[in-house]
Amino acid sequence: MNDAKLSEASLLTLERAAELFGVLSTPVRLQIIRVLCDGEQNVTHLLAQIEASQPNMSRHLQVLYQSGVLTRRRNGHQVFYRLADASQALVCRLVCSQLGCDGQDFEVPV
């Protein structure tokens, strides 16, 4: 391996990767991403698919939104969430396949 110090750009990239892995470190958040691989969903639909209380779900959605993993839009009283970028689903799929679980749950949206 090269003994040269990492460039600032490389360090920044590693920091951003570590932040993403931190955001993805909770099973509920991975479940949210898995469900959103099928497309945009409102909170009611997410709660029907994922066992979590409404306050807990809202907290996880807020973390995912603030980190840039999700985007959201409001339609009246409902808030709809979707993946901001398919790369997060790809990361989840790759990690799950390496761990021996079914990475197919994370179908990468086009």
Side-chain angles (χ1 to χ4, degrees):
M1 183 164 182
N2 190 346
D3 288 335
K5 288 186 177 180
L6 290 173
S7 69
E8 274 191 54
S10 294
L11 289 173
L12 181 60
T13 299
L14 292 174
E15 286 177 23
R16 291 179 64 204
E19 288 172 11
L20 176 61
F21 283 118
V23 168
L24 300 178
S25 67
T26 305
V28 171
R29 293 181 198 153
L30 293 174
Q31 291 176 45
I32 291 168
I33 292 170
R34 180 185 48 83
V35 171
L36 293 178
C37 284
D38 293 334
E40 182 180 73
Q41 302 295 332
N42 66 21
V43 177
T44 303
H45 183 269
L46 290 168
L47 286 168
Q49 300 290 316
I50 299 167
E51 190 173 324
S53 68
Q54 192 278 326
N56 191 22
M57 176 68 72
S58 293
R59 194 168 33 255
H60 287 296
L61 288 168
Q62 185 65 20
V63 169
L64 289 165
Y65 172 73
Q66 288 179 333
S67 68
V69 172
L70 302 182
T71 62
R72 65 184 178 194
R73 71 175 176 86
R74 183 173 296 279
N75 185 6
H77 293 292
Q78 295 187 18
V79 178
F80 290 83
Y81 290 88
R82 66 182 168 91
L83 294 174
D85 184 333
S87 64
Q88 286 86 10
L90 181 58
V91 167
C92 294
R93 183 175 188 182
L94 291 171
V95 170
C96 284
S97 66
Q98 288 298 309
L99 294 174
C101 56
D102 185 9
Q104 298 300 317
D105 284 344
F106 294 95
E107 289 300 320
V108 179
V110 282

